[in-house]
Amino acid sequence: MYNREINIKEVPKHIAIVMDGNGRWAKRQGFDRIFGHTNGINTVRQITEASVEIGLKYLTLYTFSTENWNRPQEEIHGIMNLLVENIEKETDSFRKNNVRLLAIGDLWRLPDDVRIKLQRCIADTSKNTGLSLVLALSYSSRWEITNAVKDIVESINKGTLRQEDITEKTISEYLTTQNMPDPDIVIRTGGDIRISNFLLWQSAYSEFFFTKTYWPEFTKDEFFEIIYEFQNRERRFGKTSEQIKSTKN
Ligand code: IPE
Ligand code: IPE
Ligand code: MG
């Protein structure tokens, strides 16, 4: 339904999603939190398919944050098991749909089996040219920015970068998202209105959408509805509305 309303010629390049609400969705029905994460995977599949359908170039999914390492061991274990089970399983459909898998975050903190399966899938899909599906795993923006600062200092010390040459572009290039466009849209499901350490630098001019829908209940229709609304917002980037309108005509 909403697909028809979307202007397919002006699809955003990059949509980033904070997939929140799995635990509450499960608990509401009397199940344990892992049941919510398991069902969240169906939504990942649907939203990935929808992204392929409209020709989106980048879909970044906040899958596990640096702070999530502080959750009960049992839940962390459950999430890691789901990753191991599903990354391999999806590789075929990534191939079929021309999807390239990428991952950003402190991947060395992941259990070996998760990291190995992830790296294998990334390698197997690296030549695909359609959607880039980016999993933010063991990711947080402050972790990323801290690392970028360390790497910049190292480059200066080595003499490969001069302090006076540092620009905003330099900083973007030292982040884990180095070759990606900034997100046009950031969506958070689950009802909370906060960013939780996600893409702080990159979302400087993103359009934000917060929905009360828990992630396992988020649908392709709601996703398209957000894109439709995005296409009807005016992005001014500091300019006036009149300036924007005069460059459009
Ligand atoms: C988001 O759902 C998924 C992860 C953080 C791994 P939550 O697990 O945070 O679900 P709620 O917010 O407790 O409902
Ligand atoms: C954010 O969700 C991280 C992911 C969706 C992976 P959380 O549920 O961890 O966020 P907070 O801590 O409640 O803000
Ligand atoms: Mg949550």
Side-chain angles (χ1 to χ4, degrees), residues 64-95:
F64 194 84
S65 72
T66 307
E67 288 76 21
N68 289 150
W69 289 116
N70 299 319
R71 290 200 177 185
Q73 274 309 314
E74 195 190 331
E75 181 169 349
I76 296 176
H77 211 77
I79 294 172
M80 294 301 141
N81 279 342
L82 284 173
L83 285 168
V84 170
E85 282 167 24
N86 285 284
I87 291 168
E88 198 168 29
K89 216 161 82 186
E90 292 302 317
T91 308
D92 257 359
S93 84
F94 290 158
R95 259 194 227 109

Side-chain angles (χ1 to χ4, degrees), residues 18-20 62-65 68 71 136 188 192 194 196:
V18 181
M19 309 185 287
D20 198 23
Y62 203 5
T63 307
F64 194 84
S65 72
N68 289 150
R71 290 200 177 185
R188 183 177 184 133
D192 288 318
R194 56 177 177 255
S196 303

Side-chain angles (χ1 to χ4, degrees), residues 117-228:
K117 291 239 180 332
L118 190 65
Q119 280 165 346
R120 198 170 296 153
C121 185
I122 290 170
D124 285 351
T125 61
S126 65
K127 300 263 159 33
N128 293 347
T129 54
L131 173 73
S132 293
L133 174 64
V134 187
L135 300 184
L137 262 179
S138 185
Y139 172 89
S140 77
S141 224
R142 287 185 173 181
W143 164 84
E144 172 181 53
I145 292 169
T146 306
N147 271 344
V149 171
K150 285 183 191 165
D151 290 345
I152 287 171
V153 171
E154 195 182 311
S155 297
I156 291 173
N157 289 342
K158 277 197 307 205
T160 53
L161 179 68
R162 295 188 318 173
Q163 184 181 340
E164 55 270 37
D165 293 337
I166 296 175
T167 61
E168 291 186 6
K169 191 162 171 277
T170 317
I171 294 175
S172 294
E173 283 165 0
Y174 275 79
L175 298 175
T176 58
T177 48
Q178 50 192 160
N179 297 314
M180 301 177 200
D182 286 339
D184 302 292
I185 297 177
V186 176
I187 301 171
R188 183 177 184 133
T189 62
D192 288 318
I193 303 184
R194 56 177 177 255
I195 197 69
S196 303
N197 219 347
F198 187 48
L199 302 177
L200 299 179
W201 171 274
Q202 298 88 336
S203 66
Y205 256 109
S206 302
E207 294 294 326
F208 283 81
F209 291 83
F210 295 93
T211 169
K212 287 197 167 66
T213 310
Y214 292 141
W215 179 248
E217 285 180 338
F218 189 69
T219 60
K220 190 169 148 176
D221 274 355
E222 196 174 353
F223 184 59
F224 286 155
E225 200 174 346
I226 287 170
I227 298 172
Y228 176 74

